[in-house]
Amino acid sequence: MRSIYPVLRYPDASAAIEFLRSAFGFTVHEVHAGPDGEVRHAQLGYGDDLVMLGTGPAPATRPADDDYRVYVAVDDVDGHHERARSAGAEIVRPPFDTDYGSRDYVARDPAGLIWSFGTYRP
């Protein structure tokens, strides 16, 4: 059973869903739109986990490169990095090895949010 769900807001949630699918490999679990077609709530899956998102204002200021919003554990960091780069993700930090045994990389999505991906699984 899951207990923690990151919730993100995007100025264009429909475009964010497509980006997160193509760049980071998320799958669409469900999408709820209002009468105007604007995404009010969506759930995207990655493995057995979910993030929720909807339409809302972009961050008031551009987050710093080390202001991670979400960390996602992946098995193949280099392959995942290449997929994200090819799909247009801004790579903040290319794949690197940590002193605690993880291989990570950091990317910024089109709304400016920072995502960290790595092999570390707490």
Side-chain angles (χ1 to χ4, degrees):
M1 175 183 267
R2 299 175 199 103
S3 297
I4 299 174
Y5 301 89
V7 179
L8 307 169
R9 295 284 176 235
Y10 291 92
D12 183 345
S14 294
I17 290 167
E18 184 52 38
F19 175 82
L20 296 172
R21 285 180 61 247
S22 66
F24 298 154
F26 281 86
T27 58
V28 176
H29 184 69
E30 60 183 69
V31 175
H32 301 277
D36 59 359
E38 185 175 84
V39 174
R40 302 284 190 235
H41 174 79
Q43 297 173 11
L44 302 184
Y46 194 90
D48 293 331
D49 297 304
L50 292 173
V51 297
M52 298 186 294
L53 62 93
T55 302
T61 59
R62 182 176 167 99
D65 289 351
D66 62 352
D67 188 7
Y68 308 143
R69 300 299 173 152
V70 181
Y71 174 84
V72 180
V74 299
D75 293 326
D76 177 10
V77 167
D78 294 286
H80 196 275
H81 163 264
E82 183 55 32
R83 175 185 182 151
R85 189 194 61 73
S86 295
E90 177 187 338
I91 303 303
V92 172
R93 188 166 179 198
F96 62 96
D97 296 316
T98 70
D99 58 357
Y100 50 89
S102 184
R103 183 150 178 83
D104 295 359
Y105 83 95
V106 181
R108 184 183 302 275
D109 72 21
L113 300 178
I114 301 294
W115 293 72
S116 179
F117 299 90
T119 57
Y120 180 71
R121 295 181 189 273

